[in-house]
C-alpha cells in the first residue's frame, strides 16, 4: 500500500513563494511520473506540473515561468517550487504518482494541501 505524504502549502501574499513536497516512502514500484494537480473552488481539477523519471517536465501555461517542478528519484520525492504567486493560484494542490509494477499501472493521490494567495 503506497501512501503519498504531502507537505508545504499555506497562506502567502501575492508575489510570495511556497515549496511543496510529496514523498512515496518505501515504494518498490517503478515510478513513471510524479506531479501536482490543483483544484480551485467550483472548478475542475487540472494539471499544474509533472515530471518523468528521466526529468522531462510539463507545465500548465498558467504557471510557466513561475513554478518549477523537480524530483529526487532516490527518495521518491517530488517538489514544486512556486514563485511569484498570484491569487488565481489559490487551490488545493494534490500530489499524483503514476507507477508500474510488471504489466500493471497504478495512479496514486495525496489528500491535498491548501495554497491560499491573498492580494
Amino acid at each position: 500500500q503506497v501512501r503519498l505524504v504531502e507537505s508545504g502549502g499555506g497562506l502567502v501574499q501575492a508575489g510570495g513563494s511556497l515549496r511543496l513536497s510529496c514523498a512515496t516512502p518505501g515504494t518498490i514500484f517503478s515510478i513513471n511520473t510524479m506531479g501536482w494537480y490543483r483544484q480551485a473552488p467550483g472548478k475542475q481539477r487540472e494539471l499544474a506540473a509533472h515530471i518523468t523519471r528521466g526529468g522531462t517536465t510539463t507545465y500548465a501555461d498558467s504557471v510557466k515561468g513561475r513554478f518549477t517542478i523537480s524530483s529526487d528519484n532516490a527518495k521518491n520525492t517530488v517538489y514544486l517550487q512556486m514563485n511569484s504567486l498570484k491569487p488565481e493560484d489559490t487551490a488545493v494542490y494534490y500530489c499524483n504518482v503514476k507507477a508500474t509494477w510488471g504489466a500493471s499501472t497504478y495512479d496514486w493521490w495525496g489528500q491535498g494541501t491548501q495554497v491560499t494567495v491573498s492580494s
Side-chain angles (χ1 to χ4, degrees):
Q1 187 73 52
V2 176
R3 298 184 181 275
L4 305 184
V5 181
E6 300 170 324
S7 63
L11 298 119
V12 297
Q13 293 184 346
S17 298
L18 287 172
R19 184 172 181 263
L20 308 181
S21 65
C22 174
T24 58
T27 183
I28 62 172
F29 294 80
S30 296
I31 295 174
N32 300 321
T33 65
M34 303 183 75
W36 295 91
Y37 288 72
R38 65 184 186 180
Q39 186 169 23
K43 297 185 178 181
Q44 297 293 315
R45 188 175 299 186
E46 64 176 1
L47 176 70
H50 71 80
I51 184 169
T52 70
R53 196 71 175 180
T56 301
T57 59
T58 300
Y59 297 94
D61 288 341
S62 58
V63 309
K64 287 181 180 177
R66 301 186 298 116
F67 291 11
T68 302
I69 190 169
S70 61
S71 64
D72 183 337
N73 290 338
K75 297 180 179 179
N76 294 319
T77 300
V78 63
Y79 307 91
L80 186 67
Q81 179 67 45
M82 305 184 293
N83 299 325
S84 302
L85 283 162
K86 303 175 180 179
E88 50 262 44
D89 295 318
T90 296
V92 177
Y93 285 70
Y94 297 90
C95 182
N96 173 251
V97 173
K98 293 177 170 58
T100 300
W101 182 249
S104 300
T105 58
Y106 302 86
D107 199 350
W108 302 318
W109 294 89
Q111 292 185 322
T113 184
Q114 178 70 49
V115 171
T116 302
V117 184
S118 64
S119 60

